[in-house]
Amino acid sequence: GGVHGTDASGVPGHPFDALELHRIERYLAGYIGPLARHLVKAAASRATGKEDLIARIATELDTESDRHEFTRRCRIEQPGD
């Protein structure tokens, strides 16, 4: 099922690339460990775009410096991986 739901009624499907989510998850795991996967998945289901996704996830980090660093790293576009 590769159906992309554009419907806002909770239909699975978000505008994020799986590789992008994996990269963000890896960064987040450096701060919070295995919980990162759940957090990224939950945030992706509600976020409206990449910036919103990053902002939602960043609020879960404890310190301002962690939030700043995480946000900065996520915004750097990496070719390939």
Side-chain angles (χ1 to χ4, degrees), residues 14-30:
H14 51 67
F16 305 107
D17 179 64
L19 284 173
E20 181 72 23
L21 289 179
H22 183 67
R23 186 166 70 90
I24 290 173
E25 184 188 307
R26 274 215 319 264
Y27 290 156
L28 186 60

Side-chain angles (χ1 to χ4, degrees), residues 1-6 11-14:
V3 179
H4 288 285
T6 49
V11 175
H14 51 67

Side-chain angles (χ1 to χ4, degrees), residues 25-66:
E25 184 188 307
R26 274 215 319 264
Y27 290 156
L28 186 60
Y31 299 97
I32 66 171
L35 190 63
R37 172 167 297 186
H38 170 75
L39 261 176
V40 170
K41 203 170 278 189
S45 70
R46 293 193 297 272
T48 57
K50 185 180 171 186
E51 285 297 314
D52 188 41
L53 175 67
I54 293 168
R56 285 172 183 272
I57 293 169
T59 63
E60 302 292 337
L61 298 173
D62 291 334
T63 68
E64 185 59 45
S65 60
D66 280 356

